[in-house]
Amino acid sequence: MKEFLTFAFLGIGLGSLYSLASQGLLVVYRGSGILNFAQGAVGMVGAYIYWELDHQHGLPYGVALILGVAASALIGALTQVLIMGPLRRSAPLVRIVATLGLLIVLQAAVILRYGSGVVVVHSELPTTTWHILGGVAVQESRMILLGIAVVITAVLFWAYRYTSFGRATAAVSQNQRSAAALGWSPDLIATANWALGAGLGGLAAVLIAPIAQLQASTMTNLVLAAMAAALIASFRSFPICLLAGVLLGIGQTEIQNYWDVHVSGLSPSFPFIVIVLVMIVRGQALPLRDAFLQRLPAVGRAHLRPIAIILGIAIYSAGILALDKSWVNGFITTFGFGLVLLSIVVLTGYTGQISLCQFALAGVGAYIASRLVSVWHWPFELGFIAGIVGTVPVGMIFALPAVRARGVNLAIVTLGLGTAVNLLVFNSGPLTGGFTGTVVPHPKIFGYDIFAVTYPQRYAFFGFVLFILAAVSVSSIRRSRTGRQLIAVRTNERAAAALGINVRSIKLYAFGVAAAIAAAGGILIAFENKTIFYGQFDPLTSINAMAWAVIGGVGFIHGASVGAWFAPGALGTVLGDKIYGNLGNYILLIGGGFLLLTVLQTPNGVAAVQAEKLRPLGQMIGRRVKWLWAEPKPIELPTPERQRVAPKTLRVDNLVVRYGRVTAVAGFSTEVRPGTVVGLIGPNGAGKTSVIDGITGFTTPTEGRVYIDEVDVTGTGVAQRAQMGLSRSFQSLELFEDLTVLENLRTAADPRDKVSYLRDLVYPVNPPLPGTAVAAITEFRLGDDLDRVVENLSYGQRRLLAIARAVAISPSILLLDEPAAGLGESESRELAQLVRRLCDDWGMSILLIEHDMDFVMSICDHIEVLDFGKQIATGTPAEIKSNPHVVAAYLGVEDPEEAAQAAEADAMKGAVG
């Protein structure tokens, strides 16, 4: 117990510093809604400035400390003014990547000025050791650090709860327009919070430097441990953040004392393990209703263009054959990192999963292949295949948190997983060969030596072929039904699940495919040398890889080859060295700066700009060289078949939906039979959409049951209910904006067979649209717009497409959420006729939410009325019209008799008029 308590007190000091750094994250997040991945790097700059002023220039400790913290605060303020302010309306990925760009720039600048080695920093705090509780050693400095953390936490808690600045920050975080109307400047509030948060990061870095020592990579990784504490506090509570940070510090020191002897790297991995566990427990299976508003950068169509392919192969092949060895090595590195970036195109560009562990997965592939070849003497060909295949399940394990995390949270989890792999495996001597590394024989393909040192051109062509094959495979995925499902999940998980797409399976598939591609890149990079050191597959390079992918164009295959030029040792480095001599030393700094410029000016990446500028030139050349050009074929549709759907009845018994302490639906019951339309009406906020969410599985009912033809589906998922014939539209449409009209409909109507997941890797097959989907195109008059991207449609067309997509899966039960919202009177009348035909001619069971009473009364067979979550009336349209309780609800009066009199007076006025 004495030893345990001694290390616990040591951990209190470390945990106090974690809490300080995490408080800075909370402050920035409160003021701007941004998770600052550069928090550790910003603090690191302050720590280095403090060290230089104090240790080299002899300034007093207090003065050097204040100037170091002020430098961090200044960087924070400038970040908001110059970067985050202009990006306030950008996609979450763009804002995350902007903080990664800042991290890269600051770390590269520090390394250029101070070097990458360890700098010893002497503590200015007292070194007295107390002995309490029968000899338990307690260092005075650790208690001082705890006291600093407690005081700062108390001040922050008071300031953000009781001062006008705190109230202004809360107002800005909730609604910037309303806050501005009250006289608070959102930009000024955000700048102040960025400065304060960055200053706290600088203070934490200065205080932790004597404990962890001052080194660029170590100080940058401080933010990862701080994120664990902030995540536990839900980025809201300062006291919880303090407690979580202290407990993390204690846990880390105890593990270091008791377990690190047996499992190397376990103690520094502890915060990342906590991150993963918290996200698995707390994460959300499906996003909230407004998640579809968070747009990602553009995604390409991935058509195979013969002109571009021939030119690319010719240029790269000529370069490999004609240029010297330094260039050839640059080609090898470019192809290796290009494969890693292709994996990011699949995972982030196509599926919307922000993964910061792809280079770690590349390392896993390299590790498996090299150990099999070196230790078990496998042939290189088999080791290469085993490395790729063996990395797939690892990638799918990494995907498990992605089922319950997304956006910023997923970025944190994947970065933590990659860091844990680096600490536990890649830096473990017994697992990697120790200081001598893993020595591998020359790689050979069917006996043909391709070792990069001896035969660099052969190895370069091997990498080139790998990249081409991977690029063609990624193109096949994009053009296939699997690709449409990936992009559907990326654009709108809720809408994808409502169409019967298994979101979890799609994410697992994307992580698996991306892991395989990344593993190929990692093996190519590792086997370029005879001795492999796995430490090169570090977390920072995973961050850099995401940055390079965004620079190139994360949604474009060509973007992977463009972004790979920015990797150290790649063609960009070689070109810079040839022109400027030692530009390679500045490649990370240049890449980080270029990344910031890219997200500010062209967030879709260089490839998107190139595609737009070069498309007319390619078309002109293609038309002159006929064998390279095929005129676009008009879309041909099969004969429409308006078949009646399988008849099914929807029954809802006493449905109760609660959000926390708020009861949104308090006991709703109804039955919707085939060939009938049941209306669900009520004032705004009555709980109508919550009813549909409860029926379709987006919200788990607190009480009640949902039946489809007497089958209880209350416990089944959204996709399973859709596959049983239950479909819905959304009040906010929630279309797949990056797809065309036809692709939206195909996504709904595509078969869900599992064979296509493998076949689409090499040969995409698009089955013909079923007759019911073609009939939906005809019914909703979408035939002339099939090749148009959704974002280019008018509002009325988007409304029709939303319903047509729900109909395209041939549902037996259709739930429509305000389908006529925003339409004109004539459009609304036509839509009402369409909905009635779906009921009469198709045999669907339809539950309709609508505020247009003429629309409802003209087509509904039966109507249910909600008010404040309670079902206040049920009956035919005629009965509902004359029901005084319904009139009272709509007029906002409590007395039904008063409502009846008001309704009668309105009727008299209408008669007189």
Side-chain angles (χ1 to χ4, degrees), residues 724-744:
M724 294 177 66
L726 177 63
S727 183
R728 69 168 292 180
S729 69
F730 293 88
Q731 179 179 348
S732 47
L733 303 184
E734 305 200 19
L735 298 168
F736 305 132
E737 301 286 337
D738 297 309
L739 298 178
T740 64
V741 171
L742 181 59
E743 287 175 324
N744 266 267

Side-chain angles (χ1 to χ4, degrees), residues 345-610:
V345 170
V346 172
L347 194 54
T348 304
Y350 292 172
T351 321
Q353 306 305 297
I354 305 175
S355 172
L356 298 180
C357 65
Q358 290 311 105
F359 201 56
L361 290 172
V364 171
Y367 177 81
I368 295 173
S370 60
R371 298 302 286 180
L372 288 174
V373 171
S374 175
V375 178
W376 297 93
H377 309 294
W378 282 34
F380 173 73
E381 304 95 316
L382 293 181
F384 180 83
I385 295 172
I388 293 176
V389 174
T391 307
V392 171
V394 177
M396 297 178 79
I397 291 172
F398 278 28
L400 293 177
V403 175
R404 298 180 60 80
R406 52 190 50 81
V408 172
N409 290 339
L410 180 58
I412 297 173
V413 171
T414 53
L415 182 58
L417 286 169
T419 304
V421 168
N422 182 268
L423 293 170
L424 292 171
V425 179
F426 298 160
N427 289 333
S428 172
L431 296 177
T432 60
F435 292 109
T436 60
T438 298
V439 180
V440 294
H442 290 194
K444 296 180 180 180
I445 302 294
F446 304 116
Y448 194 68
D449 194 342
I450 60 170
F451 183 44
V453 175
T454 311
Y455 304 103
Q457 291 177 329
R458 296 180 184 178
Y459 198 72
F461 274 113
F462 171 67
F464 192 22
V465 171
L466 286 179
F467 182 82
I468 292 173
L469 292 176
V472 171
S473 180
V474 173
S475 172
S476 297
I477 292 173
R478 169 63 184 91
R479 293 177 287 113
S480 68
R481 72 178 85 167
T482 302
R484 288 191 289 273
Q485 293 181 44
L486 293 177
I487 295 174
V489 169
R490 153 199 153 107
T491 308
N492 193 319
E493 290 183 27
R494 287 164 50 84
L499 296 177
I501 296 173
N502 190 317
V503 174
R504 176 180 301 182
S505 297
I506 286 296
K507 289 184 177 181
L508 290 172
Y509 174 84
F511 267 90
V513 171
I517 298 172
I523 296 170
L524 182 66
I525 292 170
F527 276 82
E528 187 178 359
N529 300 300
K530 189 171 181 62
T531 302
I532 299 173
F533 294 96
Y534 304 99
Q536 65 181 308
F537 297 99
D538 60 286
L540 182 61
T541 308
S542 282
I543 292 174
N544 289 333
M546 175 60 74
W548 300 328
V550 172
I551 291 173
V554 74
F556 296 81
I557 295 173
H558 176 46
S561 61
V562 173
W565 277 57
F566 289 89
L571 289 173
T573 303
V574 178
L575 179 62
D577 286 344
K578 295 293 184 182
I579 297 174
Y580 296 102
N582 64 341
L583 191 65
N585 296 333
Y586 300 88
I587 191 67
L588 287 179
L589 181 63
I590 294 171
F594 200 91
L595 172 62
L596 292 176
L597 290 175
T598 300
V599 297
L600 287 169
Q601 301 297 326
T602 56
N604 291 329
V606 175
V609 177
Q610 289 180 341

Side-chain angles (χ1 to χ4, degrees), residues 30-31 160 164-180 182 184 186 189:
R30 276 172 172 255
Y160 279 88
S164 59
F165 174 74
R167 289 190 290 271
T169 299
V172 168
S173 66
Q174 293 293 323
N175 191 314
Q176 291 192 8
R177 289 186 178 179
S178 298
L182 294 174
W184 286 316
I189 295 296

